[in-house]
Amino acid sequence: MNPIVLKEKISEFLKEDLGFGDLSVAFLPGGTPLSGSFIAKQSGIICGQEIPQATYDLLGHATYKPRIPEGAPVKAGDIIGTVSGTAQTLLSGERVTLNLIQRMSGIATQTTHFVKLLDDATIRITDTRKTAPGLRLFDKYAVSVGGGFNHRFDLTGGIMLKDNHIALAGGVTQALAAVKRHVGPLTPVEVEVETEEELRQAVAGGANVIMFDNQNPETIKQWRQLVPKTIKVEASGEITAESISTFKGCGADFISIGNLTNDVTPLDIGFLVAGAVKS
């Protein structure tokens, strides 16, 4: 992750959490040296090993040592990393650190699960812009750690003409013609289609990527035959863990899944300092 942006984001999160200070530590010996461990409480894929040190660097003095590589599987009871520093730094940074690592590991775990269920090396699973506000950097990074790929990061990352844009322009042909007059050679144009006629218009209009929206695997196979190999095909819409395996061999180049980052179950990870009783 970009270290400058990472620092800026974590600084925002710490400001939100600390307010005028950490009252829980304010009246205790905050300068006391402590050591602690981050411990997985369930199986999954670990993600966010940069987060602890970046957080501690903003708060004071502490050194974090990862015990498990980024993107590696963990099981309940595994120590994912250890830290030593002052009590003030370790305890004041605990919640922000855990919130991020838990969420990122949950996304990485879910992404790996989808990749395994699809079981098709010819199709890349991608995320969408359905990320939590302020967390897109972390969410999309976690998808890549889990074996997925990133779709555009923001509205400047490419042109995507969806149903509302097409309606605004008066049709697929008109929408493509309008944007093609202005885009440079490095700006891809993707078009969402819902009918075979829209698909033919997208091909004729020179789309770089065509999204088959809410289509079943059999329709995707049929429509793929109408698309030149120079144009990439993306499948999207209501694809779940229960249905993803049916898309194996459908011919799409990408399958985008909003729920990778939109329906997140954080991985349960705890933090304990030496001498604390495990609950």
Side-chain angles (χ1 to χ4, degrees):
M1 287 184 285
N2 184 318
I4 297 175
V5 179
L6 179 63
K7 182 178 179 180
E8 290 175 350
K9 285 291 183 182
I10 292 179
S11 179
E12 292 174 12
F13 303 150
L14 288 170
K15 289 176 183 177
E16 176 186 62
D17 200 38
L18 287 170
F20 291 104
D22 184 353
L23 289 179
S24 300
V25 182
F27 309 110
L28 299 174
T32 301
L34 284 180
S35 61
S37 300
F38 289 85
I39 305 167
K41 296 184 177 182
Q42 65 183 123
S43 298
I45 302 298
I46 194 65
C47 181
Q49 291 284 38
E50 293 180 67
I51 301 300
Q53 192 61 60
T55 304
Y56 299 139
D57 287 347
L58 289 166
L59 286 172
H61 303 287
T63 301
Y64 177 73
K65 295 181 179 180
R67 293 271 293 269
I68 292 177
E70 187 85 322
V74 295
K75 61 183 184 301
D78 284 349
I79 295 176
I80 67 173
T82 57
V83 61
S84 58
T86 64
Q88 177 81 54
T89 300
L90 269 58
L91 297 179
S92 294
E94 175 183 352
R95 188 72 265 156
V96 167
T97 300
L98 282 176
N99 282 351
L100 288 173
I101 293 179
Q102 287 175 332
R103 178 180 175 87
M104 293 167 71
S105 296
I107 291 172
T109 299
Q110 178 157 258
T111 302
T112 298
H113 183 54
F114 269 86
V115 171
K116 289 180 177 178
L117 288 174
L118 176 62
D119 188 29
D120 188 335
T122 68
I123 303 175
R124 293 183 172 186
I125 288 179
T126 76
D127 52 30
T128 68
R129 283 172 38 250
K130 294 178 181 178
T131 56
L135 292 177
R136 185 167 294 171
L137 167 72
F138 305 92
D139 287 2
K140 283 185 169 283
Y141 171 76
V143 168
S144 66
V145 168
F149 293 82
N150 298 140
H151 212 289
R152 59 179 180 166
F153 276 78
D154 54 42
L155 292 172
T156 65
I159 293 175
M160 181 180 287
L161 302 173
K162 295 174 69 68
D163 49 5
N164 288 330
H165 305 99
I166 292 167
L168 176 64
V172 170
T173 300
Q174 295 91 326
L176 270 170
V179 301
K180 284 282 189 176
R181 285 197 293 268
H182 300 283
V183 298
L186 297 182
T187 303
V189 180
E190 179 169 359
V191 181
E192 174 187 279
V193 301
E194 297 185 2
T195 67
E196 185 175 317
E197 177 56 31
E198 288 184 338
L199 169 59
R200 293 181 183 276
Q201 292 176 21
V203 171
N208 302 108
V209 183
I210 300 177
M211 178 196 291
F212 296 171
D213 190 41
N214 291 308
Q215 304 301 324
N216 61 52
E218 288 305 314
T219 300
I220 293 173
K221 287 180 184 179
Q222 295 170 15
W223 285 8
R224 171 82 248 199
Q225 306 306 311
L226 304 175
V227 182
K229 291 297 183 181
T230 54
I231 299 177
K232 298 295 184 182
V233 167
E234 175 183 340
S236 186
E238 304 301 325
I239 299 173
T240 66
E242 290 70 35
S243 66
I244 184 72
S245 63
T246 66
F247 288 81
K248 181 177 181 177
C250 70
D253 298 290
F254 305 96
I255 294 178
S256 56
I257 301 173
N259 277 351
L260 293 180
T261 56
N262 195 39
D263 184 18
V264 180
T265 300
L267 192 70
D268 194 1
I269 298 169
F271 175 72
L272 281 178
V273 299
V277 178
K278 188 175 181 180
S279 59

